[in-house]
């Protein structure tokens, strides 16, 4: 396409405007027809000349301008000239702000910026550039005087660049740009006002300009185009006759006819053909272009189609490709779409440009135009395919542009192909990077990252982030580079170790570069990972380990795993201790002690730490890389608010308001005075290793402490920077950066309210926000001679040492345990003399003994003891120390008696020691110390005991006080396994304890009986038990009678420590269990069943009460053990509680058996009638028949022999009983019938009588 018309503009201020119009017309004619210029190209010889007289209203004479315009109309006609009046006002700053720039919406911002630069540049610097362009226009007669800029540009093809002119232009622009940069500082104030076009134009001037354009278009240009279309059409019609058809046919068959002219400099190729201007093929093309220009697309398509055929017949492929391209565009732009878009035309044109004509610029232009047409039709897939086909290896920039456009086609489809979009954007970014267009490469990679992010494609993410990081750093954007490299190192990468090392090296280099420029503080590092939720906090001193024979209390440590059930157990024990210290009432502000805080503990409140006591924070690090990491100078970051705490009240921000000091600021000088922070010199993490670091800090002031995070130096030993030492040897210096990571712990999810369940809310977690309180006492406990294995019931004496290692006195020392019957410290009333140290009591017995020879038939020795002397409320035991106070630095050793559990197996026994400060009203009311031991219990003896009423005559069974007697049978069996090393057991004493009964004397064994039991041996002992009178005084204090019957040469005082202590502890547990069982059975009964069984239960209660015994048997034994070729003597005691006469009791605890599943009953059934057991009723009445063993009778004198028989009935109960005696026999057996036939009762055969309590009745027969 060429120029159709030209505007010849002359100012009205010229002396003779008509002469200037004539000169301009002649100059235009010479340029067009002389043949010296190849550019600009003219479309037709008869070019439209439109004459415009420009009049400035501020300078010229308007009347003179009108006169000249009238002359012009006479000369050129009213359709060929125009008078344009502009600049109706003078330029003023106030008015500039009112009327906007009319050309701003048509000019690019970059062009406006360049114009401003050129306007602000000094004239001396711009003159060479202006001369290079203006010189050819000033003197057009001689081609040798033309400036190099214009001549080169006019001779060159519109789509080709001339190297010389381009180089000159680039040099000029660079020169201008350098000058602009130098003078930018001086001209910044002027830049704001430069570049404002049309400052003197009013709105009326705008309307005149629009009217001028409209007049030129409709009265000049369009009629001229119509005229040329008509002329071209007439020429084509006249030339397309019969001769034209025959000439074309002859040329096709014989190759004759007109041959298109070729340029001498061009090679002999078909795509380089040049038609003369008057060639009919070009006339058709010109007509098609004119029709296309005036939007007559249907006629344009027809002409392009005709020209295409002629070009193809002449093998002019360049012209044919252009005709195909324009024909396709004309078909597309036709209104109403009478024919489909011929996409194959575009494909053929592109192929011709690329393969035949070897002109990639035209091929790219055609491809882009076709792609836009396809996209407008919604054919994004075809457009993307077309653009991808145009990529090649010869031009990275062109391929990058085409790939980017193809990617946008994929994303704009009806069903967007997101992954293809991202993939082609990456390809485009790669080609931009190869073309050194880093900004565009970064943009493409960033857009692709939005697709690949968080999709599980870790390798693709690593590649994209690595490229983004490098490009950002090269472009001077280190912040974005750090963010990209952090993403690489933060994701779980599946790269090889070598690649991960490269990523880490790049990251360390970038961070080091940024730190060199910015000193704002240590950056946040992504490595290693920190599992913040797994952070644990330990408050207090670490316990000392065992020292020689001393075994330290286990307490709480970071090496222990958290157990929820065990934590609840410790809390229950602490509640018992706190209630015991507060007169049995749990304080309202009670908070359980938490020494070790983790994600499972209650962290809603601020933990309480003590001043001058360390705080240990365990941080879990994980190295996600296959490259080892080395951390150095690892320490905690903290913020401390100095304040004074009010004791016993919940701290608030107002109470802790004060100066805040942190070790994040290295310039702060008071940080060491407040908190001492431990520094770990080196901490290494292997490949993909998870490791914990325990960081310690010691506060020296009271206040609020916030643990913020950790700070460390990060490096990797695998790479570094090379440097030379003093000897000239190359060494590898590790690349070290110092950074930090914050500990951000998220609390547990809230799930209480409806809003919490519908939304994701988390509670607070204050484990890293301890409150530092004033000094508190600190106690350590050590155990001496503490066993790990015991026999069941074995008594062992150990020692406990209590040490106050703080500067504050402690008091109120107590202990609670899950097995209160396992140990005792003794009672102050009955405790004998205790050796001052464990070494002096190695061969001493644990019991209080004195020598007494065994005399068969001797009665027991008795001692009356009050129960409160041994009893402890709620299982809490007060530890007897002098003055109940342990002063700072003081320690004390106390004896501690242990008794093996009654059930074999491994037992976990927990002790909780409780103590308080002598100073009251502190924030921490008390402190506790935990200890856990495991005791392995082995079987020793099995004791079975039963009681029955004596069958002797009532007069012989009464003692001197008139009380009834009962026989007690005790079966003792050695059930110990042979591998335990126990040779034999010796029963040294049998004692009893009860409020109502006592063992009176031996019945069995005899004089020379030695009660020694080897393995699997059994002995049976029989004793006589008597009732003792009640000892309850006015104060109703329960008193127990202890009776001792020794079977050896020593008598053990069973009422003293430790025998009495363990008896009462075991007795309290058994009574407590019986009460719970009775309470449970009573609650399960319904009210109806209680009323229907009222009468029967009275009889049953009478029978049960009559058979109640309440006698506790204590069997004391000794065992002989061979250990390390030495014979040791073990002592122990077993307890058997006889509650009912005739019912056997055992010292062994039966194993719990699984209960059988009960079937559900949906129909109510009547309760079965109560059947009184015969065994219980038979115990109410004791019978005795008195008759002569021999009786002499003379049957000769009298055939009837009467033998006197006396029946004695004794009421053993405390209630009145109705007794019926029936002597009639109802047996049906043959043997009994023979006996009954020989003997028969005579006299009264049935008696009914009443017996009062303890009454004896007789009946004779």
């Amino acid at each position: 396409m060429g120029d159709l018309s030209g505007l010849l503009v002359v100012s009205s201020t010229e002396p003779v405007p008509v002469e200037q119009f004539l000169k301009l017309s002649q100059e235009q004619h010479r340029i067009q027809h002389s043949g010296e210029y190849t550019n600009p190209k003219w479309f037709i010889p008869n070019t439209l000349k439109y004459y415009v007289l420009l009049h400035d209203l501020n300078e010229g004479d308007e009347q003179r301008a009108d006169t000249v315009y009238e002359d012009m109309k006479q000369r050129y006609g009213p359709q060929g000239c125009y008078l344009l009046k502009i600049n109706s006002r003078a330029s003023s700053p106030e008015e500039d702000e009112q009327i906007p720039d009319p050309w701003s919406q048509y000019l690019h911002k970059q062009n406006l910026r360049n114009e401003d630069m050129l306007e602000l540049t000094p004239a001396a610097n711009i003159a060479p550039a202006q001369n290079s362009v203006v010189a050819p226009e000033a003197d057009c007669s001689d081609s040798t005087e033309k400036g190099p800029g214009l001549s080169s540009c006019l001779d060159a093809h519109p789509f080709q660049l001339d190297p010389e002119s381009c180089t000159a232009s680039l040099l000029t622009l660079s020169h201008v740009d350098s000058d602009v940069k130098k003078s930018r500082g001086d001209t910044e104030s002027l830049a704001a006002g430069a570049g404002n076009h049309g400052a003197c134009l009013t709105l009326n001037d705008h309307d005149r300009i629009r009217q001028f354009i409209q007049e030129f278009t409709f009265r000049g240009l369009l009629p001229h185009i119509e005229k040329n279309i008509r002329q071209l059409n007439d020429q084509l019609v006249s030339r397309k006759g019969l001769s034209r058809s025959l000439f074309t046919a002859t040329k096709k068959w014989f190759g004759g006819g007109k041959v298109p002219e070729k340029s001498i400099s061009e090679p002999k190729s078909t795509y380089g053909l040049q038609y003369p201007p008057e060639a009919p093929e070009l006339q058709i093309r010109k007509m098609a272009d004119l029709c296309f220009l005036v939007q007559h697309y249907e006629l344009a398509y027809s002409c392009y189609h005709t020209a295409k055929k002629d070009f193809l017949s002449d093998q002019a492929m360049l012209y044919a490709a252009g005709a195909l391209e324009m024909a396709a565009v004309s078909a597309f732009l036709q209104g109403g779409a009478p024919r489909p878009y011929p996409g194959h035309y575009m494909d053929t044109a592109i192929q011709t440009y690329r393969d035949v004509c070897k002109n990639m610029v035209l091929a790219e232009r055609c491809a882009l135009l076709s792609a836009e047409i396809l996209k407008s039709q919604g054919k994004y897939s075809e457009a993307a395919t077309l653009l991808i086909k145009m990529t090649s290896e010869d031009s990275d920039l062109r391929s990058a542009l085409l790939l980017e456009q193809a990617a946008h086609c994929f994303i704009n489809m009806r069903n967007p192909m997101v992954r293809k979009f991202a993939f082609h954007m990456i390809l485009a970014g790669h080609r931009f990077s190869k073309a050194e267009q880093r900004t565009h490469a970064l943009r493409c990679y960033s857009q692709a990252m939005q697709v690949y992010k968080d999709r599980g494609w870790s390798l693709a993410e690593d590649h994209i982030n690595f490229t983004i990081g490098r490009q950002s750093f090269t472009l001077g954007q280190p912040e974005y580079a750090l963010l990209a490299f952090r993403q690489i190192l933060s994701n779980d990468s599946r790269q090889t170790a070598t690649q991960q090392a490269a990523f880490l090296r790049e990251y360390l280099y970038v961070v080091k570069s940024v730190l060199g420029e910015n000193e704002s503080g240590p950056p946040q590092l992504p490595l290693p990972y920190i599992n913040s939720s797994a952070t644990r906090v330990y408050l207090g001193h670490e316990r000392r380990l065992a020292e020689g024979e001393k075994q330290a209390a286990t307490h709480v440590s970071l090496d222990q795993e958290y157990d929820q059930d065990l934590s609840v157990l410790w809390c229950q024990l602490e509640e018992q201790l706190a209630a015991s210290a507060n007169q049995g009432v749990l304080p309202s502000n009670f908070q359980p002690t938490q020494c070790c805080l983790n994600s499972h503990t209650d962290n809603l409140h601020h933990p309480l730490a003590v001043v001058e006591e360390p705080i240990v924070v365990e941080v879990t690090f994980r190295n996600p890389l296959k490259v080892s990491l080395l951390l150095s100078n690892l320490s905690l970051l903290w913020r401390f608010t100095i304040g004074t705490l009010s004791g016993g009240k919940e701290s608030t921000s107002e109470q802790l308001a004060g100066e805040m000091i942190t070790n994040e600021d290295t310039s702060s000088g008071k940080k060491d005075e407040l908190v001492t922070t431990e520094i770990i010199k080196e901490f290494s993490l292997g490949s993909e290793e998870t490791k914990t670091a325990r960081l310690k800090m010691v506060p020296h002031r009271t206040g609020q402490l916030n643990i913020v995070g950790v700070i460390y130096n990060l490096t990797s030993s695998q790479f570094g920077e090379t440097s030379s030492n003093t000897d000239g040897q190359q060494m590898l210096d590790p690349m070290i950066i110092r950074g930090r990571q914050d500990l951000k712990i998220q609390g547990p999810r809230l799930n209480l309210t409806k809003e919490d369940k519908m939304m994701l809310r988390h509670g607070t977690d204050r484990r890293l926000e301890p409150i530092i309180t004033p000094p508190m006492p600190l106690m350590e406990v050590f155990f001496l001679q503490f066993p790990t294995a015991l026999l069941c019931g074995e008594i062992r004496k150990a020692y406990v040492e209590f040490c106050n290692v703080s500067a504050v006195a402690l008091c109120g020392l107590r202990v609670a345990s899950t097995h209160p019957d396992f140990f005792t410290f003794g009672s102050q009333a009955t405790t004998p003399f205790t050796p001052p140290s464990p070494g002096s009591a190695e061969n001493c017995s644990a019991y209080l003994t004195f020598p007494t020879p065994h005399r068969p038939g001797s009665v027991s020795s008795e001692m009356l003891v009050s129960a409160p002397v041994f009893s402890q409320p709620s299982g809490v035991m007060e530890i007897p120390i002098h003055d109940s106070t342990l002063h700072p630095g003081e320690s004390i050793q106390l004896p501690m008696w242990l008794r093996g559990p009654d059930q074999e197996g491994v037992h976990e026994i927990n002790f909780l020691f409780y103590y308080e400060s002598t100073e009251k009203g502190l924030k921490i009311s008390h402190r506790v110390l935990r200890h856990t031991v495991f005791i392995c219990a082995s079987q020793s003896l099995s004791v079975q005991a039963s009681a029955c009423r004596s069958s002797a005559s009532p007069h012989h069974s009464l003692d001197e006080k008139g009380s009834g007697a009962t026989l007690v049978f005790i079966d003792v069996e050695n059930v110990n396994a042979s591998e335990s090393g126990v040779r034999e057991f010796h029963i040294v004493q049998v004692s009893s304890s009860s409020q109502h009964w006592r063992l009176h004397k031996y019945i069995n064994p005899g004089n020379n009986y030695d009660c020694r039991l080897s393995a699997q041996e059994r002995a049976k002992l029989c004793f006589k038990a008597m009732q003792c009178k009640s000892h309850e005084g006015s104060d109703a204090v329960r008193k127990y009678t202890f009776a001792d019957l020794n079977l050896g040469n020593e008598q053990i005082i069973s009422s003293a420590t430790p025998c009495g202590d363990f008896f009462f502890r075991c007795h309290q547990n058994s009574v407590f269990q019986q009460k719970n069982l009775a309470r449970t059975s009573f609650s399960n009964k319904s009210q109806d069943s209680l009323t229907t069984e009222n009468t029967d239960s009275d009889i049953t209660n009478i029978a049960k009460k009559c058979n109640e015994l309440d006698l506790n048997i204590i069997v004391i034994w000794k065992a002989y053990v061979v250990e390390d070729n030495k014979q040791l003597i073990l002592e122990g005691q077993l307890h058997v509680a006889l509650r009912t006469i005739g019912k056997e009791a055992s010292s062994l605890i039966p194993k719990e058996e699984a209960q059988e599943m009960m079937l559900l009953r949906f129909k109510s059934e009547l309760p079965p009638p109560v059947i009184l057991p015969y065994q219980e009723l038979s115990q109410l009445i004791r019978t005795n028949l008195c008759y002569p063993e021999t009786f002499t009778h003379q049957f000769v004198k009298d055939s009837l022999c009467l033998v006197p028989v006396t029946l004695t009935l004794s009421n053993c109960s405390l209630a009145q009983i109705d007794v019926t005696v029936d002597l009639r026999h109802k047996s049906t057996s043959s043997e009994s019938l023979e006996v009954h036939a020989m003997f028969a009762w005579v006299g009264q055969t049935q008696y009914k009588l009443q017996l009062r309590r303890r009454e004896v009745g007789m009946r004779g027969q």
Side-chain angles (χ1 to χ4, degrees), residues 1184-1188 1200-1208 1221-1226 1232 1235-1247 1259-1261:
N1184 189 16
L1185 291 176
C1186 296
Y1187 51 88
L1200 179 63
C1201 177
L1202 297 175
V1203 180
V1205 178
T1206 302
L1207 174 64
T1208 304
V1221 180
D1222 192 354
L1223 300 178
R1224 294 172 296 178
H1225 296 281
K1226 300 178 181 179
S1232 61
V1235 175
H1236 295 161
M1238 297 174 62
F1239 297 94
W1241 293 103
V1242 296
Q1244 188 176 353
T1245 58
Q1246 188 175 12
Y1247 301 91
R1259 286 295 181 269
Q1261 188 69 21

Side-chain angles (χ1 to χ4, degrees), residues 91-108:
S91 176
S92 61
E94 293 79 6
E95 296 178 358
D96 288 347
E97 299 177 359
Q98 299 178 0
I99 300 178
D101 186 355
W103 284 278
S104 60
Q105 55 182 334
Y106 306 107
L107 297 176
H108 294 290

Side-chain angles (χ1 to χ4, degrees), residues 791-794 938-942 973-977 985 1117 1134 1148:
L791 296 176
C792 292
E794 179 186 351
S938 303
Q939 288 185 346
S940 56
L941 296 177
S942 172
E973 182 182 0
N974 183 359
V975 294
N976 181 259
F985 287 88
W1117 51 265
L1134 298 174
L1148 296 178

Side-chain angles (χ1 to χ4, degrees), residues 406-671:
H408 286 289
C409 291
F410 286 121
I411 200 63
N412 289 318
M413 296 176 64
R414 178 176 298 179
N415 296 322
M417 305 177 73
V418 182
R419 287 183 294 181
K420 280 196 173 184
F421 161 77
F423 178 70
H424 285 83
M425 288 299 289
I426 292 176
L427 295 179
H430 176 66
R431 300 301 292 269
F432 275 128
S433 180
K434 291 178 65 178
E436 298 183 358
Q437 297 292 330
R438 296 185 178 90
T439 304
H440 296 294
L442 178 61
R443 174 176 51 82
C444 292
Y445 275 103
S446 301
Q447 292 181 5
M449 189 60 201
Q450 299 176 6
V451 177
Y452 285 105
K453 189 176 182 180
D454 299 332
R455 296 296 180 92
W457 292 23
S458 60
L459 298 179
E461 287 188 61
D462 293 345
H463 169 71
I464 298 172
N465 281 317
F466 183 72
T467 308
I468 291 176
R470 276 197 164 183
Q471 297 292 349
S472 299
F473 183 74
T474 307
L475 293 172
Q477 302 174 2
E479 295 80 8
Y480 296 104
L482 285 178
L483 183 61
F485 282 116
R486 282 180 61 90
Q487 292 295 329
I488 298 177
L489 302 176
S490 299
N491 298 329
D492 291 330
S493 176
R494 294 184 295 175
Q495 302 281 359
T496 61
T498 306
Q499 191 64 39
Q500 290 180 356
F503 291 161
L504 181 58
R505 181 173 57 251
E506 292 283 343
Y507 174 74
L508 295 178
Y509 179 77
V510 172
V511 174
K512 197 169 185 179
S513 301
V514 174
L515 292 179
E517 300 175 358
N518 187 10
E519 298 294 340
S520 60
Q524 291 284 343
L525 300 180
L527 289 177
Y529 290 178
I530 293 182
N531 188 1
S532 298
S533 61
T535 301
R536 298 194 296 172
V537 181
Y538 180 79
L539 308 174
H541 282 284
E542 296 181 0
R543 301 296 164 181
R544 289 186 291 177
L545 301 177
E547 299 179 357
E549 296 181 355
K550 293 183 179 181
Q551 178 184 355
T554 57
H555 195 50
V556 182
S557 68
L558 292 172
D559 298 327
Q560 301 173 359
E561 296 293 335
Y562 179 79
D563 189 347
Q564 180 66 32
D565 298 335
L566 196 59
S567 177
V568 174
L569 180 63
W570 288 116
C571 183
Q572 293 174 355
L573 292 177
E574 189 174 356
E575 288 178 357
Q576 294 179 13
L577 290 166
S580 175
N582 196 33
Q583 300 179 357
V585 180
L586 188 67
S588 59
N589 59 346
F590 170 79
Q591 289 292 337
T593 303
Q594 295 185 130
C595 297
C596 185
L597 304 174
N598 52 45
S599 58
H600 302 285
T601 56
D602 184 11
N603 303 323
L604 294 178
H605 304 280
H606 291 276
L608 301 179
V610 181
V611 66
E612 299 297 340
E613 292 189 8
I615 300 174
V616 182
V617 180
E618 184 184 78
V619 184
T620 303
F621 293 94
R622 182 173 70 88
N623 180 13
L625 305 180
K626 300 180 178 67
V627 182
S628 61
L629 299 177
L630 180 63
L631 309 184
S632 59
N633 295 333
L634 175 62
S635 62
L636 290 171
L637 292 175
W638 48 264
R639 298 171 186 166
F640 191 84
T641 304
I642 303 175
T644 303
L645 295 174
S646 58
K649 296 182 181 180
E650 187 70 24
S651 64
T652 59
S653 59
E654 289 78 6
Q655 295 173 349
L656 292 177
E659 182 183 2
M660 187 184 73
I661 300 177
T662 176
N663 65 344
E664 299 172 286
D665 185 8
T666 56
S667 61
S668 177
K670 298 182 179 180
K671 56 183 181 179

